[in-house]
Amino acid sequence: MALEMRDRCERCETTELPPDAAARICVYECTYCVACSEAMHHICPNCGGELVPRPRPAARTDTA
Ligand SMILES: [Zn+2]
Ligand SMILES: [Zn+2]
């Protein structure tokens, strides 16, 4: 079963993170809101990985 795109911050579990919202993820796809990421100094508490900005869904642009 494939990993699902999480739509809620794993730390505060109250901040909803729709696909086009600003969010932070680690290499194992732990997902956090920006506020929690900053509070954790951009380090994932689950795996110790660096939290980076989550890429947004591919925009419909014709960049070749
Ligand atoms: Zn949060
Ligand atoms: Zn993690």
Side-chain angles (χ1 to χ4, degrees):
M1 185 170 172
L3 283 173
E4 294 182 24
M5 179 74 80
R6 298 192 176 103
D7 62 356
R8 205 168 281 265
C9 173
E10 291 189 29
R11 183 172 184 256
C12 58
E13 297 188 342
T14 56
T15 303
E16 294 188 16
L17 301 170
D20 61 345
R24 298 291 182 270
I25 63 169
C26 81
V27 291
Y28 296 107
E29 300 187 10
C30 311
T31 307
Y32 303 97
C33 67
V34 175
C36 286
S37 176
E38 292 183 352
M40 299 184 294
H41 305 286
H42 307 289
I43 299 296
C44 177
N46 293 338
C47 57
E50 181 182 9
L51 296 172
V52 298
R54 183 175 67 177
R56 295 180 182 223
R60 292 193 180 184
T61 54
D62 292 321
T63 50

Short mmCIF file of all heavy atoms in Angstrom, two decimals:
data_model
loop_
_atom_site.label_atom_id
_atom_site.label_comp_id
_atom_site.label_asym_id
_atom_site.label_seq_id
_atom_site.Cartn_x
_atom_site.Cartn_y
_atom_site.Cartn_z
N MET A 1 0.85 -1.20 0.00
CA MET A 1 0.00 0.00 0.00
C MET A 1 0.88 1.24 0.00
O MET A 1 1.81 1.37 0.79
CB MET A 1 -0.88 -0.02 1.24
CG MET A 1 -1.89 1.11 1.27
SD MET A 1 -3.07 0.88 2.60
CE MET A 1 -3.91 2.46 2.51
N ALA A 2 0.60 2.13 -0.88
CA ALA A 2 1.46 3.29 -1.04
C ALA A 2 1.25 4.29 0.10
O ALA A 2 0.21 4.34 0.73
CB ALA A 2 1.17 3.97 -2.37
N LEU A 3 2.29 5.05 0.35
CA LEU A 3 2.17 6.11 1.32
C LEU A 3 1.15 7.14 0.84
O LEU A 3 1.15 7.50 -0.33
CB LEU A 3 3.52 6.80 1.53
CG LEU A 3 4.54 6.05 2.38
CD1 LEU A 3 5.85 6.79 2.34
CD2 LEU A 3 4.06 5.93 3.81
N GLU A 4 0.35 7.57 1.76
CA GLU A 4 -0.59 8.60 1.39
C GLU A 4 -0.03 9.97 1.73
O GLU A 4 0.74 10.11 2.68
CB GLU A 4 -1.90 8.40 2.16
CG GLU A 4 -2.61 7.12 1.76
CD GLU A 4 -3.92 6.99 2.51
OE1 GLU A 4 -4.47 8.00 2.94
OE2 GLU A 4 -4.36 5.84 2.68
N MET A 5 -0.41 10.92 0.95
CA MET A 5 -0.03 12.29 1.25
C MET A 5 -0.76 12.72 2.51
O MET A 5 -1.98 12.73 2.56
CB MET A 5 -0.41 13.20 0.08
CG MET A 5 -0.08 14.65 0.34
SD MET A 5 1.67 15.02 0.24
CE MET A 5 1.86 15.12 -1.55
N ARG A 6 -0.01 12.99 3.54
CA ARG A 6 -0.65 13.39 4.78
C ARG A 6 -1.17 14.81 4.66
O ARG A 6 -0.53 15.66 4.07
CB ARG A 6 0.34 13.27 5.94
CG ARG A 6 0.79 11.83 6.12
CD ARG A 6 1.53 11.66 7.44
NE ARG A 6 1.87 10.25 7.64
CZ ARG A 6 3.10 9.75 7.45
NH1 ARG A 6 4.06 10.53 7.05
NH2 ARG A 6 3.33 8.48 7.65
N ASP A 7 -2.29 15.03 5.26
CA ASP A 7 -2.90 16.35 5.13
C ASP A 7 -3.05 17.05 6.47
O ASP A 7 -3.85 17.94 6.65
CB ASP A 7 -4.26 16.24 4.44
CG ASP A 7 -5.24 15.39 5.25
OD1 ASP A 7 -4.83 14.85 6.29
OD2 ASP A 7 -6.39 15.28 4.83
N ARG A 8 -2.25 16.57 7.43
CA ARG A 8 -2.33 17.16 8.77
C ARG A 8 -0.95 17.11 9.41
O ARG A 8 -0.21 16.15 9.24
CB ARG A 8 -3.32 16.35 9.61
CG ARG A 8 -3.95 17.12 10.74
CD ARG A 8 -5.11 16.33 11.30
NE ARG A 8 -6.30 16.45 10.46
CZ ARG A 8 -7.27 17.35 10.67
NH1 ARG A 8 -7.20 18.14 11.70
NH2 ARG A 8 -8.28 17.43 9.88
N CYS A 9 -0.64 18.15 10.17
CA CYS A 9 0.66 18.20 10.82
C CYS A 9 0.78 17.06 11.84
O CYS A 9 -0.12 16.84 12.64
CB CYS A 9 0.83 19.55 11.49
SG CYS A 9 2.32 19.66 12.50
N GLU A 10 1.90 16.33 11.81
CA GLU A 10 2.06 15.19 12.72
C GLU A 10 2.36 15.63 14.15
O GLU A 10 2.28 14.83 15.07
CB GLU A 10 3.20 14.29 12.22
CG GLU A 10 2.84 13.57 10.95
CD GLU A 10 3.87 12.54 10.60
OE1 GLU A 10 4.53 11.99 11.49
OE2 GLU A 10 4.05 12.27 9.40
N ARG A 11 2.76 16.84 14.32
CA ARG A 11 3.13 17.29 15.66
C ARG A 11 1.93 17.88 16.39
O ARG A 11 1.55 17.42 17.46
CB ARG A 11 4.25 18.32 15.58
CG ARG A 11 4.74 18.77 16.95
CD ARG A 11 5.98 19.64 16.77
NE ARG A 11 6.56 20.04 18.04
CZ ARG A 11 6.45 21.26 18.56
NH1 ARG A 11 5.76 22.19 17.93
NH2 ARG A 11 7.04 21.56 19.70
N CYS A 12 1.33 18.88 15.84
CA CYS A 12 0.22 19.51 16.53
C CYS A 12 -1.11 18.83 16.17
O CYS A 12 -2.07 18.92 16.91
CB CYS A 12 0.17 21.01 16.23
SG CYS A 12 0.02 21.44 14.50
N GLU A 13 -1.13 18.14 15.03
CA GLU A 13 -2.31 17.38 14.58
C GLU A 13 -3.57 18.23 14.50
O GLU A 13 -4.67 17.72 14.54
CB GLU A 13 -2.54 16.17 15.50
CG GLU A 13 -1.39 15.19 15.43
CD GLU A 13 -1.70 13.91 16.17
OE1 GLU A 13 -2.63 13.91 17.00
OE2 GLU A 13 -1.03 12.91 15.91
N THR A 14 -3.37 19.51 14.42
CA THR A 14 -4.53 20.37 14.27
C THR A 14 -4.43 21.21 13.00
O THR A 14 -5.43 21.63 12.46
CB THR A 14 -4.69 21.31 15.47
OG1 THR A 14 -3.49 22.06 15.63
CG2 THR A 14 -4.98 20.52 16.74
N THR A 15 -3.20 21.44 12.56
CA THR A 15 -3.01 22.26 11.38
C THR A 15 -3.21 21.42 10.14
O THR A 15 -2.48 20.47 9.91
CB THR A 15 -1.61 22.88 11.36
OG1 THR A 15 -1.43 23.63 12.56
CG2 THR A 15 -1.43 23.79 10.17
N GLU A 16 -4.20 21.77 9.36
CA GLU A 16 -4.43 21.04 8.12
C GLU A 16 -3.47 21.52 7.05
O GLU A 16 -3.17 22.70 6.94
CB GLU A 16 -5.88 21.24 7.67
CG GLU A 16 -6.85 20.60 8.65
CD GLU A 16 -8.27 20.63 8.11
OE1 GLU A 16 -8.43 20.86 6.90
OE2 GLU A 16 -9.19 20.42 8.89
N LEU A 17 -2.99 20.55 6.28
CA LEU A 17 -2.00 20.85 5.26
C LEU A 17 -2.45 20.31 3.91
O LEU A 17 -2.00 19.26 3.47
CB LEU A 17 -0.65 20.23 5.65
CG LEU A 17 -0.08 20.69 7.00
CD1 LEU A 17 1.11 19.83 7.37
CD2 LEU A 17 0.33 22.14 6.92
N PRO A 18 -3.35 21.00 3.28
CA PRO A 18 -3.76 20.58 1.94
C PRO A 18 -2.58 20.64 0.99
O PRO A 18 -1.56 21.28 1.28
CB PRO A 18 -4.86 21.59 1.56
CG PRO A 18 -4.60 22.78 2.42
CD PRO A 18 -4.02 22.23 3.70
N PRO A 19 -2.67 19.94 -0.14
CA PRO A 19 -1.51 19.81 -1.04
C PRO A 19 -0.88 21.12 -1.47
O PRO A 19 0.31 21.17 -1.75
CB PRO A 19 -2.11 19.08 -2.25
CG PRO A 19 -3.25 18.31 -1.69
CD PRO A 19 -3.82 19.17 -0.60
N ASP A 20 -1.67 22.18 -1.51
CA ASP A 20 -1.10 23.44 -1.97
C ASP A 20 -0.70 24.36 -0.83
O ASP A 20 -0.36 25.50 -1.02
CB ASP A 20 -2.09 24.15 -2.90
CG ASP A 20 -3.40 24.48 -2.19
OD1 ASP A 20 -3.62 23.92 -1.10
OD2 ASP A 20 -4.17 25.28 -2.71
N ALA A 21 -0.72 23.82 0.40
CA ALA A 21 -0.34 24.64 1.54
C ALA A 21 1.15 24.52 1.80
O ALA A 21 1.78 23.52 1.45
CB ALA A 21 -1.12 24.20 2.78
N ALA A 22 1.69 25.52 2.44
CA ALA A 22 3.09 25.45 2.83
C ALA A 22 3.24 24.42 3.93
O ALA A 22 2.50 24.42 4.91
CB ALA A 22 3.56 26.81 3.31
N ALA A 23 4.20 23.50 3.76
CA ALA A 23 4.42 22.46 4.75
C ALA A 23 5.88 22.05 4.70
O ALA A 23 6.62 22.44 3.80
CB ALA A 23 3.52 21.26 4.46
N ARG A 24 6.29 21.27 5.71
CA ARG A 24 7.66 20.77 5.74
C ARG A 24 7.63 19.25 5.85
O ARG A 24 6.84 18.71 6.61
CB ARG A 24 8.41 21.36 6.94
CG ARG A 24 8.55 22.88 6.90
CD ARG A 24 9.47 23.33 5.80
NE ARG A 24 9.64 24.78 5.78
CZ ARG A 24 8.85 25.61 5.09
NH1 ARG A 24 7.86 25.14 4.38
NH2 ARG A 24 9.07 26.90 5.12
N ILE A 25 8.51 18.59 5.14
CA ILE A 25 8.58 17.14 5.21
C ILE A 25 10.02 16.70 5.42
O ILE A 25 10.96 17.41 5.08
CB ILE A 25 8.05 16.47 3.92
CG1 ILE A 25 8.90 16.85 2.71
CG2 ILE A 25 6.58 16.83 3.69
CD1 ILE A 25 8.59 16.02 1.48
N CYS A 26 10.17 15.50 5.99
CA CYS A 26 11.50 14.92 6.09
C CYS A 26 11.63 13.84 5.01
O CYS A 26 10.71 13.61 4.23
CB CYS A 26 11.73 14.34 7.48
SG CYS A 26 11.01 12.71 7.71
N VAL A 27 12.76 13.17 4.99
CA VAL A 27 13.00 12.20 3.92
C VAL A 27 12.05 11.01 4.00
O VAL A 27 11.83 10.32 3.02
CB VAL A 27 14.45 11.69 3.94
CG1 VAL A 27 15.40 12.81 3.53
CG2 VAL A 27 14.82 11.15 5.30
N TYR A 28 11.48 10.75 5.17
CA TYR A 28 10.52 9.67 5.31
C TYR A 28 9.08 10.15 5.22
O TYR A 28 8.16 9.45 5.60
CB TYR A 28 10.76 8.91 6.61
CG TYR A 28 12.09 8.24 6.63
CD1 TYR A 28 13.13 8.72 7.41
CD2 TYR A 28 12.32 7.11 5.84
CE1 TYR A 28 14.37 8.10 7.42
CE2 TYR A 28 13.55 6.49 5.83
CZ TYR A 28 14.58 6.99 6.63
OH TYR A 28 15.81 6.39 6.63
N GLU A 29 8.93 11.39 4.76
CA GLU A 29 7.62 11.96 4.51
C GLU A 29 6.82 12.22 5.78
O GLU A 29 5.60 12.25 5.75
CB GLU A 29 6.82 11.09 3.53
CG GLU A 29 7.54 10.97 2.20
CD GLU A 29 6.68 10.26 1.16
OE1 GLU A 29 5.50 10.04 1.42
OE2 GLU A 29 7.21 9.93 0.09
N CYS A 30 7.51 12.37 6.89
CA CYS A 30 6.83 12.94 8.04
C CYS A 30 6.47 14.37 7.67
O CYS A 30 7.30 15.07 7.09
CB CYS A 30 7.72 12.93 9.28
SG CYS A 30 8.54 11.35 9.60
N THR A 31 5.28 14.78 7.98
CA THR A 31 4.80 16.07 7.51
C THR A 31 4.44 16.97 8.68
O THR A 31 3.77 16.55 9.62
CB THR A 31 3.56 15.86 6.61
OG1 THR A 31 3.89 14.92 5.60
CG2 THR A 31 3.14 17.16 5.97
N TYR A 32 4.90 18.20 8.60
CA TYR A 32 4.64 19.16 9.68
C TYR A 32 4.27 20.50 9.09
O TYR A 32 4.65 20.81 7.95
CB TYR A 32 5.89 19.32 10.56
CG TYR A 32 6.37 18.03 11.14
CD1 TYR A 32 7.39 17.32 10.53
CD2 TYR A 32 5.79 17.51 12.28
CE1 TYR A 32 7.84 16.12 11.05
CE2 TYR A 32 6.22 16.30 12.81
CZ TYR A 32 7.24 15.61 12.19
OH TYR A 32 7.66 14.43 12.70
N CYS A 33 3.60 21.30 9.92
CA CYS A 33 3.33 22.66 9.50
C CYS A 33 4.59 23.49 9.68
O CYS A 33 5.54 23.08 10.36
CB CYS A 33 2.15 23.24 10.27
SG CYS A 33 2.44 23.49 12.03
N VAL A 34 4.58 24.66 9.10
CA VAL A 34 5.77 25.51 9.14
C VAL A 34 6.10 25.93 10.56
O VAL A 34 7.25 25.92 10.98
CB VAL A 34 5.55 26.74 8.24
CG1 VAL A 34 6.72 27.71 8.37
CG2 VAL A 34 5.38 26.31 6.79
N ALA A 35 5.08 26.25 11.35
CA ALA A 35 5.31 26.70 12.72
C ALA A 35 5.99 25.61 13.54
O ALA A 35 6.93 25.87 14.30
CB ALA A 35 3.99 27.10 13.36
N CYS A 36 5.53 24.36 13.40
CA CYS A 36 6.14 23.27 14.15
C CYS A 36 7.55 23.01 13.66
O CYS A 36 8.46 22.73 14.45
CB CYS A 36 5.30 22.00 14.02
SG CYS A 36 3.77 22.06 14.98
N SER A 37 7.77 23.10 12.37
CA SER A 37 9.10 22.88 11.83
C SER A 37 10.10 23.87 12.44
O SER A 37 11.20 23.50 12.85
CB SER A 37 9.08 23.03 10.30
OG SER A 37 10.38 22.93 9.78
N GLU A 38 9.67 25.11 12.53
CA GLU A 38 10.57 26.12 13.11
C GLU A 38 10.77 25.87 14.59
O GLU A 38 11.87 26.03 15.12
CB GLU A 38 9.99 27.50 12.85
CG GLU A 38 10.01 27.85 11.37
CD GLU A 38 9.50 29.26 11.11
OE1 GLU A 38 8.99 29.90 12.05
OE2 GLU A 38 9.62 29.71 9.97
N ALA A 39 9.73 25.41 15.27
CA ALA A 39 9.83 25.13 16.71
C ALA A 39 10.80 23.97 16.96
O ALA A 39 11.44 23.89 17.99
CB ALA A 39 8.46 24.82 17.27
N MET A 40 10.89 23.06 15.99
CA MET A 40 11.77 21.89 16.12
C MET A 40 13.12 22.13 15.45
O MET A 40 13.90 21.21 15.25
CB MET A 40 11.09 20.66 15.50
CG MET A 40 9.79 20.32 16.19
SD MET A 40 9.03 18.82 15.54
CE MET A 40 8.59 19.33 13.89
N HIS A 41 13.36 23.37 15.07
CA HIS A 41 14.62 23.74 14.41
C HIS A 41 14.84 22.94 13.14
O HIS A 41 15.97 22.55 12.81
CB HIS A 41 15.80 23.60 15.37
CG HIS A 41 15.61 24.39 16.64
ND1 HIS A 41 15.73 25.76 16.70
CD2 HIS A 41 15.26 23.99 17.88
CE1 HIS A 41 15.48 26.17 17.93
NE2 HIS A 41 15.20 25.12 18.67
N HIS A 42 13.77 22.64 12.46
CA HIS A 42 13.82 21.98 11.15
C HIS A 42 14.44 20.59 11.22
O HIS A 42 15.08 20.14 10.27
CB HIS A 42 14.54 22.85 10.12
CG HIS A 42 13.97 24.24 10.05
ND1 HIS A 42 12.74 24.53 9.51
CD2 HIS A 42 14.45 25.43 10.51
CE1 HIS A 42 12.50 25.83 9.61
NE2 HIS A 42 13.52 26.40 10.22
N ILE A 43 14.27 19.92 12.36
CA ILE A 43 14.74 18.54 12.49
C ILE A 43 13.54 17.66 12.83
O ILE A 43 12.82 17.92 13.79
CB ILE A 43 15.82 18.42 13.59
CG1 ILE A 43 17.03 19.28 13.25
CG2 ILE A 43 16.22 16.95 13.78
CD1 ILE A 43 17.76 18.88 11.99
N CYS A 44 13.37 16.58 12.10
CA CYS A 44 12.25 15.69 12.36
C CYS A 44 12.49 14.91 13.66
O CYS A 44 13.52 14.26 13.81
CB CYS A 44 12.10 14.69 11.20
SG CYS A 44 10.79 13.49 11.49
N PRO A 45 11.55 14.97 14.60
CA PRO A 45 11.72 14.27 15.87
C PRO A 45 11.55 12.76 15.73
O PRO A 45 11.96 12.01 16.61
CB PRO A 45 10.61 14.86 16.76
CG PRO A 45 9.55 15.27 15.79
CD PRO A 45 10.28 15.72 14.55
N ASN A 46 10.97 12.32 14.64
CA ASN A 46 10.77 10.88 14.45
C ASN A 46 12.03 10.20 13.96
O ASN A 46 12.39 9.11 14.42
CB ASN A 46 9.65 10.63 13.44
CG ASN A 46 8.30 11.07 13.98
OD1 ASN A 46 8.10 11.16 15.19
ND2 ASN A 46 7.37 11.33 13.09
N CYS A 47 12.70 10.79 13.01
CA CYS A 47 13.84 10.12 12.37
C CYS A 47 15.09 10.97 12.37
O CYS A 47 16.14 10.52 11.93
CB CYS A 47 13.46 9.73 10.95
SG CYS A 47 12.95 11.11 9.96
N GLY A 48 15.02 12.18 12.88
CA GLY A 48 16.21 13.01 12.95
C GLY A 48 16.62 13.64 11.63
O GLY A 48 17.68 14.25 11.54
N GLY A 49 15.79 13.48 10.64
CA GLY A 49 16.11 14.03 9.33
C GLY A 49 15.80 15.51 9.23
O GLY A 49 15.04 16.05 10.04
N GLU A 50 16.39 16.12 8.25
CA GLU A 50 16.15 17.54 8.05
C GLU A 50 14.78 17.76 7.42
O GLU A 50 14.38 17.02 6.52
CB GLU A 50 17.23 18.12 7.13
CG GLU A 50 17.05 19.61 6.89
CD GLU A 50 18.11 20.16 5.95
OE1 GLU A 50 18.86 19.37 5.36
OE2 GLU A 50 18.17 21.38 5.80
N LEU A 51 14.08 18.76 7.91
CA LEU A 51 12.79 19.12 7.33
C LEU A 51 13.01 20.14 6.23
O LEU A 51 13.69 21.13 6.42
CB LEU A 51 11.86 19.68 8.41
CG LEU A 51 11.50 18.69 9.51
CD1 LEU A 51 10.74 19.41 10.62
CD2 LEU A 51 10.67 17.54 8.97
N VAL A 52 12.42 19.85 5.09
CA VAL A 52 12.57 20.73 3.94
C VAL A 52 11.18 21.11 3.43
O VAL A 52 10.20 20.42 3.70
CB VAL A 52 13.37 20.04 2.82
CG1 VAL A 52 14.78 19.70 3.30
CG2 VAL A 52 12.66 18.80 2.32
N PRO A 53 11.11 22.21 2.69
CA PRO A 53 9.81 22.61 2.13
C PRO A 53 9.22 21.51 1.27
O PRO A 53 9.92 20.92 0.45
CB PRO A 53 10.15 23.86 1.30
CG PRO A 53 11.39 24.39 1.92
CD PRO A 53 12.15 23.18 2.39
N ARG A 54 7.97 21.21 1.49
CA ARG A 54 7.30 20.19 0.69
C ARG A 54 7.04 20.71 -0.72
O ARG A 54 6.52 21.80 -0.89
CB ARG A 54 5.96 19.83 1.33
CG ARG A 54 5.25 18.71 0.59
CD ARG A 54 3.99 18.30 1.31
NE ARG A 54 2.97 19.36 1.29
CZ ARG A 54 1.75 19.23 1.79
NH1 ARG A 54 1.43 18.13 2.40
NH2 ARG A 54 0.89 20.22 1.73
N PRO A 55 7.42 19.95 -1.72
CA PRO A 55 7.14 20.39 -3.08
C PRO A 55 5.65 20.43 -3.35
O PRO A 55 4.92 19.55 -2.91
CB PRO A 55 7.85 19.35 -3.95
CG PRO A 55 7.95 18.14 -3.09
CD PRO A 55 8.07 18.65 -1.67
N ARG A 56 5.25 21.42 -4.03
CA ARG A 56 3.83 21.52 -4.37
C ARG A 56 3.53 20.62 -5.56
O ARG A 56 4.44 20.23 -6.30
CB ARG A 56 3.50 22.97 -4.72
CG ARG A 56 3.66 23.87 -3.52
CD ARG A 56 3.33 25.30 -3.87
NE ARG A 56 3.54 26.16 -2.69
CZ ARG A 56 2.70 27.12 -2.34
NH1 ARG A 56 1.63 27.36 -3.05
NH2 ARG A 56 2.93 27.85 -1.29
N PRO A 57 2.27 20.27 -5.73
CA PRO A 57 1.92 19.49 -6.91
C PRO A 57 2.37 20.20 -8.18
O PRO A 57 2.39 21.42 -8.25
CB PRO A 57 0.38 19.43 -6.86
CG PRO A 57 0.06 19.65 -5.41
CD PRO A 57 1.14 20.57 -4.90
N ALA A 58 2.76 19.41 -9.16
CA ALA A 58 3.29 19.98 -10.38
C ALA A 58 2.33 21.00 -10.98
O ALA A 58 1.16 20.73 -11.20
CB ALA A 58 3.55 18.88 -11.39
N ALA A 59 2.85 22.16 -11.22
CA ALA A 59 2.03 23.20 -11.81
C ALA A 59 1.87 22.93 -13.31
O ALA A 59 2.72 22.33 -13.94
CB ALA A 59 2.67 24.57 -11.59
N ARG A 60 0.78 23.39 -13.80
CA ARG A 60 0.53 23.15 -15.22
C ARG A 60 1.21 24.23 -16.04
O ARG A 60 0.58 25.11 -16.62
CB ARG A 60 -0.97 23.15 -15.49
CG ARG A 60 -1.67 21.97 -14.88
CD ARG A 60 -3.06 21.82 -15.41
NE ARG A 60 -3.73 20.65 -14.82
CZ ARG A 60 -4.95 20.26 -15.19
NH1 ARG A 60 -5.60 20.92 -16.11
NH2 ARG A 60 -5.50 19.21 -14.63
N THR A 61 2.49 24.14 -16.09
CA THR A 61 3.23 25.05 -16.94
C THR A 61 3.96 24.25 -18.00
O THR A 61 4.31 23.09 -17.77
CB THR A 61 4.23 25.88 -16.14
OG1 THR A 61 5.06 25.00 -15.39
CG2 THR A 61 3.52 26.81 -15.17
N ASP A 62 4.20 24.85 -19.10
CA ASP A 62 4.82 24.13 -20.20
C ASP A 62 6.31 24.40 -20.26
O ASP A 62 6.87 24.74 -21.29
CB ASP A 62 4.17 24.53 -21.53
CG ASP A 62 2.72 24.01 -21.58
OD1 ASP A 62 2.49 22.89 -21.11
OD2 ASP A 62 1.87 24.75 -22.06
N THR A 63 6.95 24.24 -19.15
CA THR A 63 8.40 24.42 -19.14
C THR A 63 9.05 23.18 -19.73
O THR A 63 8.86 22.07 -19.24
CB THR A 63 8.91 24.64 -17.73
OG1 THR A 63 8.38 23.64 -16.87
CG2 THR A 63 8.49 26.00 -17.20
N ALA A 64 9.78 23.37 -20.75
CA ALA A 64 10.44 22.24 -21.41
C ALA A 64 11.82 22.15 -20.82
O ALA A 64 12.59 21.40 -20.96
CB ALA A 64 10.51 22.45 -22.92
ZN ZN B 1 2.07 21.65 13.45
ZN ZN B 2 10.77 12.00 9.82
#
